[in-house]
């Protein structure tokens, strides 16, 4: 038990350091925030244009879709502060991965905690203040009950873990193919199409909608977004959370398996 | 402490193919070149030893160290460090060893040096008291206080090396692996590093394995030397014995004033470039002072250097006559 506490304290130390380090990379953070807001307005205007002469599309009001876009951009902003794929590629190519291997910690776990630190910083100093203002100005739909808030947060966390585990797994492929390229494109394509980051799944044609709802990617943005704006409720909501939970478990197992295999593939360049 | 039984490491290097057709071909048929970096080596090291692991570039030194530290999985063979199979129980092994790679730092570049140490305290869960005591000791011997608050990225090579070796010992490891710990250091810094390594070995009983290209590192630190070339062990034993056989050879480089021919008994002219001559002689046959006196009698000497045999020379000799 004492050992477990010590371990947790160690991983949290990495969060703390990343938090402080993020402060040093403020300029990059502002640039990220800027592009995030540009995309927010772009999608806002596109949906506004599509809704011009209509009250609702597929039974969903403009108000819902706009709120969806808002919360989606906010979540994407949070996700963007922790990108393990780049970090792993960099470390494998430079050979610095060696340093991570000879430390008495679990590298994927350390990465996760470090990224949580940068996210905390980015959230507190950039995303939260900015989106508070945006929310106050545009008055989007927000959860109306404590339960809805709770389920939203729960699904945000599950969604984050799904994306993180999948991205880490793709990052680990660098151990086999020092030059990946094509492989990571699959990841980015799948995320942009199936996660519901920009287009809510309910606008997908029937078969694609059904397919998307069973894939892991919709758990990243679509489920929390839809819960937030109140378009997901009752049994539908619980099955969505179950699918999310299922994918958290599966992507975690795949990650551990790939990590185990990658450990045998290390070539440790340089020196 | 450390046992290594018949380990080999083969790297499979992707063969690149020429031109467009080659690129397409290689998408379907991958061809590999096998590179045997370590070839069936065995040795064992007892607690408290300092062993010098030497060999020319590309001999397989770093590859061996990487297997012993658990980074690389051997292609075949068995390794035990304190009973632990390094690559199978990486974290457990990490707790009992310290590692320094002279060519790359293991500290966090953007953190002040002392923050890197603090982080290591958390990582290895070093008790506060032990951490304080170790840091104090190392600071004193290595003179760390001049740069404790400087980010690692801004340290000079010598400072960085000192920081790295201190960092590798904070958690009181039983074994210390040093891959070229004196590379790029000046004479004073090398000396300081050697003193520190010796002290750590003596006072703390840490077993040390170090690779180097500098024979004087070995001379000043190690009783035992393992010599490796092309992945195979050429010699494993006392340094004294090697020195007995080859260590009496010296190379004398002389710049003469004016071009003067000469001939001395027991001296071999191995190279000549204008007025500069390279002479090989053996201390058993003639002492340096004697030789110089003899030469000076007949010739005017402008400058001279005396060199001990280098690793390449010893290896060549072992190939030629064996041990
Ligand atoms: N990751 C790798 N992939 C392919 N070949 C490698 C790799 N690492 C080392 N080698 C090859 O294995 C051989 C041994 O390399 P190693 O780094 O162990 O040599 P070394 O004795 O440390 O040399 P040096 O004194 O130059 O540091 C070399 O021929 C090297 O090219
Ligand atoms: Mg080397």
């Amino acid at each position: 038990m004492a050992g477990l506490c010590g371990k947790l304290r160690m991983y949290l130390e990495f969060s703390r350091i990343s938090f402080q380090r993020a402060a040093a990379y403020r300029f990059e953070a502002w640039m990220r925030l800027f592009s995030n807001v540009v995309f927010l307005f772009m999608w806002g205007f596109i949906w506004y244009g599509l809704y011009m002469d209509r009250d609702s599309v597929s039974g969903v009001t403009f108000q819902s879709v706009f709120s969806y876009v808002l919360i989606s951009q906010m979540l994407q902003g949070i996700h963007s502060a922790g990108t393990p794929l780049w970090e792993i590629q960099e470390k494998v190519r430079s050979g610095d991965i060696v340093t991570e291997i000879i430390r008495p910690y679990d590298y994927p776990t350390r990465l996760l905690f470090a990224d949580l630190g940068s996210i905390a910083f980015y959230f507190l100093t950039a995303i939260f203040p900015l989106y508070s203002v945006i929310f106050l100005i545009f008055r989007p739909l927000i959860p109306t009950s404590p339960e809805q808030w709770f389920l939203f947060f729960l699904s945000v966390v599950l969604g984050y873990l799904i994306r993180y585990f999948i991205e880490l797994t793709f990052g680990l492929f660098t151990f086999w193919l020092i030059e990946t390229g094509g492989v990571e494109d699959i990841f980015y394509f799948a995320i942009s199409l199936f996660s519901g980051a920009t287009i809510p799944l309910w606008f997908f044609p029937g078969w694609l909608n059904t397919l998307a709802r069973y894939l892991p990617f919709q758990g990243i943005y679509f489920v929390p977004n839809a819960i937030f704006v109140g378009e997901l409720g009752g049994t539908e909501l619980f099955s969505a959370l179950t699918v999310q939970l299922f994918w958290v478990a599966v992507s975690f197992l795949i990650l551990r398996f790939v990590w185990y295999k990658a450990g045998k593939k290390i070539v440790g360049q340089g020196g | 402490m450390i046992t290594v039984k018949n380990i080999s490491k083969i790297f499979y290097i992707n063969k690149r193919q020429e031109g467009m057709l080659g690129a397409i071909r290689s998408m379907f048929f991958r061809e590999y070149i096998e590179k045997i970096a370590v070839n069936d080596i065995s040795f064992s090291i007892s607690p408290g030893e300092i062993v010098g692991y030497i060999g020319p570039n590309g001999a397989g030194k770093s590859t061996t160290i990487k297997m012993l530290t658990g980074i690389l999985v051997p292609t075949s063979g068995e390794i035990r460090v304190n009973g632990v199979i390094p690559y199978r129980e990486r974290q457990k092994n990490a707790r009992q060893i310290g590692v320094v790679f002279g060519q790359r730092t293991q500290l966090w570049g953007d953190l002040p040096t002392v923050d890197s140490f603090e982080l290591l305290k958390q990582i290895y869960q070093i008790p506060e008291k032990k951490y304080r005591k170790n840091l104090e000791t190392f600071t004193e011997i290595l003179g760390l206080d001049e740069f404790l608050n400087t980010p690692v990225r801004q340290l000079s090579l010598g400072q960085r090396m000192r920081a790295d070796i201190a960092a590798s010992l904070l958690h009181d490891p039983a074994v210390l692996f040093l891959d070229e710990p004196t590379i790029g250091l000046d004479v004073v810094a090398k000396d300081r590093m050697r003193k520190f390594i010796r002290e750590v070995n003596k006072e703390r009983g840490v077993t040390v394995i170090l690779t180097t290209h500098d024979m004087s590192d070995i001379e000043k630190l190690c009783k035992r030397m393992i010599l490796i070339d092309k992945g195979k062990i050429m010699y494993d034993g006392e340094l004294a014995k090697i020195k007995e056989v080859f260590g009496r050879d010296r190379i004398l480089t002389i710049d003469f004033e004016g071009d003067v021919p000469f001939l001395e008994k027991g001296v071999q002219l191995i190279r000549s470039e204008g007025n500069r001559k390279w002479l090989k002689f053996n201390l058993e046959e003639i002492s340096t002072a004697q030789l110089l006196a003899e030469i000076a009698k007949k010739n005017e000497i402008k400058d001279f250097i005396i060199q001990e045999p280098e690793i390449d020379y010893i290896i060549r000799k072992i190939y030629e006559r064996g041990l």
Side-chain angles (χ1 to χ4, degrees), chain A residues 22 24 32 56 84 89 93 105 115 122 131 136 139 142 150 160 194 201 210 254 256 265 270-271:
Chain A
R32 221 178 317 128
S56 80
Q89 287 193 340
R93 283 180 191 150
Y105 53 58
D115 279 338
Y122 189 54
Y131 274 87
L136 284 174
R139 305 254 158 207
I142 58 167
F150 170 76
Y160 185 81
F194 292 115
L201 296 195
T210 317
I254 293 175
R256 295 314 304 187
K265 277 308 276 192

Side-chain angles (χ1 to χ4, degrees), chain B residues 34-184:
Chain B
E34 279 190 13
K35 170 80 214 173
I36 306 175
V38 168
N39 192 353
D40 190 27
I41 66 175
S42 306
F43 56 80
S44 68
I45 292 171
S46 321
E49 272 194 281
I50 303 191
V51 177
Y53 198 58
I54 63 168
N57 289 127
K61 301 183 297 293
S62 298
T63 306
T64 310
I65 298 284
K66 281 176 189 160
M67 287 192 279
L68 291 173
T69 49
I71 295 162
L72 293 177
V73 182
T75 310
S76 61
E78 243 179 71
I79 307 176
R80 293 287 162 103
V81 176
N82 241 348
V84 177
I85 301 174
Y87 60 91
R88 197 160 296 160
E89 293 181 90
R90 285 204 170 106
Q91 295 197 32
K92 192 169 172 199
N93 190 49
R95 286 186 187 285
Q96 58 172 11
I97 63 168
V99 193
V100 176
F101 291 106
Q103 317 247 25
R104 86 172 73 225
T105 181
Q106 289 170 69
L107 302 174
W108 292 264
D110 49 356
L111 294 185
T113 310
V114 68
D115 286 14
S116 271
F117 292 162
E118 290 278 338
L119 183 52
L120 288 170
K121 181 181 101 181
Q122 297 284 347
I123 291 176
Y124 289 92
Q125 305 188 8
I126 309 167
E128 182 69 28
K129 236 168 114 183
K130 186 160 116 185
Y131 170 76
R132 287 271 146 240
K133 193 159 158 274
N134 280 348
L135 187 59
E136 223 167 80
T137 315
F138 301 156
T139 303
E140 198 183 318
I141 311 177
L142 291 168
L144 304 178
D145 38 1
E146 57 171 291
F147 55 83
L148 269 181
N149 291 310
T150 314
V152 173
R153 198 164 285 144
Q154 292 167 23
L155 299 182
S156 76
L157 183 62
Q159 293 172 331
R160 204 221 75 205
M161 212 74 100
R162 281 185 268 160
D164 255 302
I165 196 166
S168 74
L169 286 162
L170 284 173
H171 60 287
D172 282 343
V175 191
L176 180 61
F177 295 96
L178 303 169
D179 193 0
E180 307 199 38
T182 56
I183 191 169

Side-chain angles (χ1 to χ4, degrees), chain B residues 186-198:
Chain B
D186 67 27
V187 183
V188 180
K190 269 188 184 174
D191 214 52
R192 190 178 212 167
M193 184 61 87
R194 288 173 191 149
K195 262 195 199 129
F196 182 68
I197 295 170
R198 206 167 8 190

Side-chain angles (χ1 to χ4, degrees), chain A:
Chain A
M1 197 58 212
L4 211 64
C5 267
K7 276 237 150 94
L8 184 65
R9 225 181 1 232
M10 166 188 76
Y11 287 123
L12 284 172
E13 188 67 12
F14 280 104
S15 309
R16 189 183 67 76
I17 286 170
S18 290
F19 187 93
Q20 286 177 346
R21 184 178 287 159
Y25 292 98
R26 263 181 314 245
F27 179 72
E28 196 203 295
W30 292 123
M31 289 311 290
R32 221 178 317 128
L33 193 66
F34 177 73
S35 85
N36 182 284
V37 175
V38 168
F39 273 98
L40 171 64
F41 281 95
M42 192 188 85
W43 284 111
F45 280 118
I46 289 174
W47 286 114
Y48 185 72
L50 289 171
Y51 269 89
M52 253 335 189
D53 322 301
R54 279 169 271 204
D55 289 335
S56 80
V57 176
S58 308
V60 183
T61 61
F62 174 69
Q63 173 80 343
S64 287
V65 173
F66 179 67
S67 309
Y68 182 101
V69 169
L70 257 182
I71 192 67
S72 184
Q73 274 307 121
M74 180 167 164
L75 288 183
Q76 286 178 63
I78 293 173
H79 278 255
S80 75
T83 48
L85 201 152
W86 295 111
E87 155 133 8
I88 294 180
Q89 287 193 340
E90 217 277 307
K91 291 231 155 155
V92 172
R93 283 180 191 150
S94 69
D96 282 342
I97 192 75
V98 161
T99 307
E100 305 283 353
I101 300 297
I102 51 175
R103 296 286 185 216
Y105 53 58
D106 180 64
Y107 178 52
T109 312
R110 181 195 85 74
L111 259 183
L112 174 65
F113 274 83
D115 279 338
L116 289 178
S118 351
I119 284 174
F121 182 84
Y122 189 54
F123 181 74
L124 291 176
T125 61
I127 295 282
F128 184 72
L130 178 80
Y131 274 87
S132 297
V133 174
I134 292 177
F135 271 67
L136 284 174
I137 297 172
F138 292 100
R139 305 254 158 207
L141 296 173
I142 58 167
T144 49
S145 67
E147 297 86 66
Q148 200 187 345
W149 273 112
F150 170 76
L151 292 171
F152 165 69
F153 282 125
L154 177 66
S155 110
V156 166
V157 171
L158 294 178
Y160 185 81
L161 292 177
I162 293 174
R163 187 216 114 226
Y164 203 84
F165 294 156
I166 296 178
E167 186 175 334
L168 244 169
T169 305
F170 273 87
L172 290 176
F173 290 148
T174 326
F175 281 71
W176 284 269
L177 319 148
I178 299 278
E179 296 123 60
T180 46
V183 179
E184 70 209 47
D185 289 344
I186 299 174
F187 168 71
Y188 290 120
F189 175 75
I191 288 257
S192 61
L193 185 63
F194 292 115
S195 71
T198 44
I199 303 169
L201 296 195
W202 60 67
F203 291 128
F204 281 26
W207 60 275
L208 198 60
N209 190 337
T210 317
L211 170 71
R213 290 204 190 224
Y214 289 99
L215 290 178
F217 308 103
Q218 48 100 33
I220 303 172
Y221 298 119
F222 175 71
V223 178
N225 293 346
I227 295 177
F228 190 85
V229 302
E231 287 291 332
L232 210 52
T235 53
E236 225 188 0
L237 191 158
F238 282 99
S239 75
L241 282 175
T242 312
V243 173
Q244 261 192 315
L245 210 57
F246 169 78
W247 280 115
V248 169
V250 171
S251 55
F252 177 73
L253 291 176
I254 293 175
L255 165 66
R256 295 314 304 187
F257 178 72
V258 174
W259 172 239
Y260 169 75
K261 287 284 176 193
K264 299 182 167 181
K265 277 308 276 192
I266 292 164
V267 290
Q269 317 199 66

Side-chain angles (χ1 to χ4, degrees), chain B residues 94-308:
Chain B
R95 286 186 187 285
Q96 58 172 11
I97 63 168
V99 193
V100 176
F101 291 106
Q103 317 247 25
R104 86 172 73 225
T105 181
Q106 289 170 69
L107 302 174
W108 292 264
D110 49 356
L111 294 185
T113 310
V114 68
D115 286 14
S116 271
F117 292 162
E118 290 278 338
L119 183 52
L120 288 170
K121 181 181 101 181
Q122 297 284 347
I123 291 176
Y124 289 92
Q125 305 188 8
I126 309 167
E128 182 69 28
K129 236 168 114 183
K130 186 160 116 185
Y131 170 76
R132 287 271 146 240
K133 193 159 158 274
N134 280 348
L135 187 59
E136 223 167 80
T137 315
F138 301 156
T139 303
E140 198 183 318
I141 311 177
L142 291 168
L144 304 178
D145 38 1
E146 57 171 291
F147 55 83
L148 269 181
N149 291 310
T150 314
V152 173
R153 198 164 285 144
Q154 292 167 23
L155 299 182
S156 76
L157 183 62
Q159 293 172 331
R160 204 221 75 205
M161 212 74 100
R162 281 185 268 160
D164 255 302
I165 196 166
S168 74
L169 286 162
L170 284 173
H171 60 287
D172 282 343
V175 191
L176 180 61
F177 295 96
L178 303 169
D179 193 0
E180 307 199 38
T182 56
I183 191 169
L185 301 188
D186 67 27
V187 183
V188 180
K190 269 188 184 174
D191 214 52
R192 190 178 212 167
M193 184 61 87
R194 288 173 191 149
K195 262 195 199 129
F196 182 68
I197 295 170
R198 206 167 8 190
E199 183 143 334
V200 160
N201 172 258
K202 260 219 192 91
E203 304 295 317
R204 297 168 172 253
V206 178
T207 309
V208 181
I209 296 172
L210 69 103
T211 79
T212 181
H213 286 285
D214 187 341
M215 266 309 256
S216 40
D217 283 347
I218 306 274
E219 267 170 59
K220 300 220 164 91
L221 290 171
C222 315
K223 276 213 186 71
R224 175 175 168 201
M225 173 179 104
I226 298 176
L227 194 123
I228 175 175
D229 186 35
K230 302 200 179 85
K232 280 206 162 287
I233 290 185
M234 304 285 300
Y235 175 77
D236 176 359
E238 285 186 29
L239 178 64
K241 193 176 159 210
I242 280 268
K243 295 205 75 177
E244 234 168 69
V245 182
F246 308 109
R248 313 293 288 171
D249 285 347
R250 291 285 181 278
I251 311 280
L252 175 64
T253 310
I254 308 189
D255 285 348
F256 288 108
E257 199 69 78
D259 188 35
V260 191
F262 65 86
L263 258 178
E264 293 292 338
K265 291 192 295 297
V267 176
Q268 199 185 331
L269 177 68
I270 51 176
R271 221 173 124 199
S272 169
E273 234 172 59
N275 292 343
R276 180 172 288 186
K277 311 279 178 199
W278 282 262
L279 307 173
K280 198 187 84 188
F281 65 101
N282 192 297
L283 288 177
E284 302 287 322
E285 288 156 26
I286 189 165
S287 79
T288 315
Q290 259 177 331
L291 178 64
L292 277 170
E294 290 277 324
I295 296 171
K297 255 192 253 170
K298 301 173 215 158
N299 317 282
E300 195 146 342
I301 297 172
K302 200 165 139 197
D303 196 8
F304 70 90
I305 310 165
I306 296 161
Q307 280 169 300
E308 300 203 341

